Amino acid sequence: MIDSLTLGEIKIGFIGCGNMSSAIIKGMVQAKYDPKNISVSNRSVEKLHSIQKELNIGITQNNSEICENALVIVIAVKPQMFATVCEPLRNIDFSDKLIISIAAGVKTSQISAFLQHESAVIRAMPNTPSVISEGATGLFANTKCNQQQKDIAEKIFQSVGKTAWVKDEDQINTVTAIAGSAPAYIYLFMQAMVDQAVSLGFNAKDARTLITQSFIGTAKLAQFKSDIQLDDLRQAVTSPGGTTFEAIQSFKNNNFSEIVKEAVNAAYNRGVSLGEAGEEGKPL
Ligand SMILES: NC(=O)c1ccc[n+]([C@@H]2O[C@H](COP(=O)([O-])OP(=O)(O)OC[C@H]3O[C@@H](n4cnc5c(N)ncnc54)[C@H](OP(=O)(O)O)[C@@H]3O)[C@@H](O)[C@H]2O)c1
């Protein structure tokens, strides 16, 4: 039983050794999780050899072996592969095990149906900065999960960034819209600023350096001053009649908040329709 073990002793197995699971495994090892308690399976063998060489974790091409030997199983394959991966696992007794899925759009009820087992399932929605342990992950647990299983999932994703729980599974679509997809919005914003700097005669490389650092610095400051409203932080650096004030007025005149609202709603609605239509498998 998971309850009787401390986190460091729990065997965790990953199915799929792609970008996201490699990032999570690396984060766990960096967070001093014992590599001997981590194993991963993958369809092709090259990624397995490479991660074993780097981190000294267990590897296999046999997904059933992962499920039999681990108490926590993280399924990290593309959504369209999910049902195919689960089918050969149906004979395994998942009663004491925790399944964590990071696949976008695949619901906990679908996972139980694919495995033909009413298992403890947690859905996690990480984002790409997890690769450098600066990820943001939303988590949802079905009613079969106990507190310790939730703690384990939280610890795993805290090893690659920050986490937040949602109570309704539908809210995972909000996580996708505000965090999963957010790196792309931020790249879009940064690129638009770089482009404008260049058109003002500025060097593109230096513009990128200053703009990315401004995002990092502002985000860290907002985290550091988490007790102050974001609007108040903004107003504190917006003197009436100054340069920032002019830019903010321009954003407001062009309905910046409305643009963001519509974009977030579009991502949210797409997440809902992917889940409902069962056409998971499209990129976030
Ligand atoms: N990337 C993101 O930003 C992000 C964010 C949130 C959630 N996610 C979710 O994370 C999941 C993985 O995404 P990813 O970007 O890491 O994809 P990925 O790099 O393509 O990794 C998927 C891995 O699954 C392996 N695989 C496929 N079929 C398998 C099978 N039958 N048995 C074992 N392994 C199998 C693939 O092996 P091969 O090497 O043989 O192809 C590949 O290494 C997706 O469901 C996605 O929705 C991703």
Side-chain angles (χ1 to χ4, degrees):
M1 291 282 287
I2 285 170
D3 306 29
S4 64
L5 296 169
T6 61
L7 179 67
E9 292 165 338
I10 292 170
K11 293 205 181 299
I12 301 190
F14 288 77
I15 296 180
C17 186
N19 297 317
M20 197 44 81
S21 57
S22 304
I24 297 165
I25 295 167
K26 282 176 197 169
M28 289 172 71
V29 173
Q30 273 163 19
K32 306 282 176 238
Y33 198 96
D34 191 343
K36 83 172 183 326
N37 286 328
I38 305 176
S39 52
V40 61
S41 64
N42 198 62
R43 186 173 50 189
S44 61
V45 80
E46 296 80 14
K47 290 175 192 168
L48 292 175
H49 286 155
S50 152
I51 200 162
Q52 188 187 41
K53 195 169 164 206
E54 187 185 344
L55 302 174
N56 201 23
I57 60 168
I59 57 165
T60 176
Q61 281 184 284
N62 184 339
N63 297 338
S64 299
E65 202 179 301
I66 291 286
C67 295
E68 274 151 12
N69 295 331
L71 274 177
V72 178
I73 298 123
V74 183
I75 307 186
V77 298
K78 292 284 186 196
Q80 68 267 33
M81 291 306 299
F82 214 96
T84 312
V85 164
C86 288
E87 206 184 319
L89 307 176
R90 286 177 177 172
N91 294 330
I92 292 167
D93 181 7
F94 287 100
S95 308
D96 287 336
K97 297 180 192 281
L98 167 65
I99 312 281
I100 301 177
S101 161
I102 66 166
V106 185
K107 294 177 188 164
T108 53
S109 58
Q110 290 175 297
I111 295 167
S112 297
F114 292 149
L115 292 171
Q116 292 187 346
H117 200 288
E118 289 298 321
S119 351
V121 182
I122 287 178
R123 266 180 79 183
M125 178 49 60
N127 64 8
T128 50
S130 302
V131 174
I132 52 162
S133 295
E134 292 287 356
T137 302
L139 295 161
F140 168 78
N142 74 359
T143 52
K144 301 276 173 197
C145 296
N146 62 34
Q147 190 54 47
Q148 273 176 308
Q149 290 172 320
K150 291 181 200 171
D151 291 346
I152 291 165
E154 196 170 279
K155 281 272 183 305
I156 290 173
F157 289 94
Q158 279 178 353
S159 71
V160 287
K162 303 222 181 293
T163 57
W165 284 96
V166 299
K167 285 206 170 77
D168 299 324
E169 186 160 4
D170 176 58
Q171 288 296 309
I172 283 287
N173 293 315
T174 311
V175 173
T176 307
I178 61 161
S181 301
Y185 316 159
I186 294 165
Y187 291 137
L188 184 75
F189 199 105
M190 290 198 290
Q191 185 65 56
M193 286 177 72
V194 170
D195 289 347
Q196 194 47 28
V198 169
S199 75
L200 290 169
F202 207 81
N203 170 297
K205 189 167 170 280
D206 290 341
R208 180 172 168 154
T209 302
L210 296 182
I211 290 164
T212 50
Q213 183 56 33
S214 299
F215 270 80
I216 293 167
T218 308
K220 283 190 175 168
L221 200 54
Q223 259 180 356
F224 182 66
K225 300 195 172 194
S226 59
D227 53 329
I228 304 177
Q229 296 293 319
L230 292 171
D231 263 344
D232 293 339
L233 288 172
R234 176 179 57 76
Q235 272 164 20
V237 292
T238 312
S239 317
T243 56
T244 314
F245 182 82
E246 288 302 315
I248 297 291
Q249 282 309 112
S250 171
F251 277 131
K252 285 186 173 173
N253 292 341
N254 286 292
N255 283 328
F256 182 75
S257 298
E258 202 54 35
I259 290 169
V260 173
K261 185 174 142 188
E262 280 189 27
V264 170
N265 281 348
Y268 173 87
N269 291 334
R270 184 63 182 145
V272 172
S273 67
L274 283 175
E276 280 172 0
E279 49 171 336
E280 309 90 4
K282 306 276 166 57
L284 284 176

